[in-house]
Amino acid sequence: ELVTGKLRSSFVHRALENYKALAFSRMTEKSISAFTRENTGRYLSVLTNDVNSVEENYLNRSFLLLYYCAMFVGALAMMLWYDWRLTLVTVVLCTLPILISLFMGQGLARREQAVSGENERFVSSLQDLLRGFAVIKSFKAEGRVGKLFEDSNRQLEHTKRARRWYEQILNAFSNTGALLLQMGVFLYGAWLAIHGEITAGTVLIFVNLCSYLLMPIQTVPQYWASRRAARALVDKLA
């Protein structure tokens, strides 16, 4: 675990350092007219908020996806060694969370992009307000400026809440799929044991091995959808 953590830390460090350096280098290649057509708050948001999302949801979760996939394949290999019929039922039941990830992943990506857009507008608005602080005080416009800030902040948090709620829905569906897997494996294994096809001990082994499938099934769909959402931010910066 220490070795894996060290490798992941080094990889994420190099990836983010090079990623931001490349983005800034490309930005400086723009002409003055092209640069001034866009608000600098957009660049600030992309190189801070979006990069943080890429780090957490794309880079870090890529390592976790590899770990959980290895756990999943290892558990299935053990199951196949004990009984192929019960393993086949397990594989069929595992398709539900995968379909959930494919179906709902695009929705999460759209909401992540919406949060990114609101972050841009919020940072741009805040930048303008702070830059004009002396003018605001001179004209005693604190009340009006406070209202502008509240509206921008409220819209940002509303968009983030929608994304969080969608993630909760995705997580709930993933948990339901995991529960159906465990119940399905147990019931079919019990039916085989009653008819003398397998032993009760084999059923218990399968139930225990299901615990090594449940964690990947519960987390991989959500992680994969989050990774796709972060990938949309990478494309946005490109």
Side-chain angles (χ1 to χ4, degrees):
E1 185 175 352
L2 288 176
V3 174
T4 304
K6 177 65 176 179
L7 291 175
R8 181 175 64 181
S9 177
S10 299
F11 174 77
V12 171
H13 167 75
R14 291 195 306 269
L16 290 177
E17 183 178 0
N18 294 332
Y19 181 62
K20 288 185 287 186
L22 178 61
F24 189 82
S25 175
R26 289 290 184 267
M27 184 183 68
T28 57
E29 294 174 2
K30 286 191 170 188
S31 64
I32 295 176
S33 60
F35 182 83
T36 54
R37 280 198 298 267
E38 296 178 352
N39 194 305
T40 55
R42 183 180 190 187
Y43 295 107
L44 290 174
S45 179
V46 166
L47 292 173
T48 54
N49 297 315
D50 289 0
V51 167
N52 289 337
S53 180
V54 169
E55 176 184 1
E56 179 61 29
N57 297 327
Y58 190 82
L59 296 175
N60 286 331
R61 291 190 174 183
S62 294
F63 280 88
L64 292 175
L65 283 172
L66 291 175
Y67 171 75
Y68 286 132
C69 286
M71 181 189 298
F72 185 85
V73 171
L76 278 182
M78 290 290 295
M79 289 180 170
L80 187 61
W81 189 76
Y82 279 103
D83 188 84
W84 68 270
R85 294 163 298 180
L86 204 50
T87 303
L88 180 62
V89 171
T90 303
V91 172
V92 171
L93 292 175
C94 286
T95 58
L96 179 60
I98 296 175
L99 292 176
I100 291 173
S101 176
L102 294 175
F103 180 75
M104 301 186 69
Q106 289 294 336
L108 185 59
R110 288 194 299 270
R111 284 160 177 79
E112 190 68 46
Q113 287 179 304
V115 170
S116 174
E118 289 300 329
N119 271 323
E120 285 181 13
R121 284 183 281 274
F122 178 77
V123 172
S124 298
S125 175
L126 181 60
Q127 186 182 30
D128 291 339
L129 295 177
L130 294 178
R131 187 184 293 120
F133 186 78
V135 177
I136 293 169
K137 297 298 291 184
S138 299
F139 286 90
K140 301 185 184 302
E142 293 91 340
R144 175 62 178 167
V145 166
K147 180 65 166 56
L148 291 174
F149 178 83
E150 289 175 5
D151 291 341
S152 179
N153 184 46
R154 184 182 301 109
Q155 184 61 39
L156 171 61
E157 295 305 322
H158 175 77
T159 306
K160 290 167 64 176
R161 182 179 64 180
R163 181 195 60 185
R164 285 193 294 266
W165 174 239
Y166 194 84
E167 287 178 337
Q168 291 298 319
I169 294 175
L170 176 59
N171 190 43
F173 276 109
S174 299
N175 290 338
T176 301
L179 179 61
L180 291 176
L181 167 67
Q182 192 173 32
M183 291 298 298
V185 169
F186 175 76
L187 292 175
Y188 183 65
W191 184 84
L192 290 177
I194 290 173
H195 289 80
E197 300 290 334
I198 59 175
T199 64
T202 302
V203 178
L204 292 177
I205 290 173
F206 265 81
V207 172
N208 288 330
L209 286 174
C210 275
S211 62
Y212 292 96
L213 297 181
L214 289 177
M215 185 176 295
I217 286 174
Q218 289 174 321
T219 56
V220 167
Q222 183 178 358
Y223 280 13
W224 183 253
S226 298
R227 191 177 183 275
R228 291 177 64 183
R231 177 66 194 179
L233 299 183
V234 175
D235 294 337
K236 172 188 171 184
L237 178 58

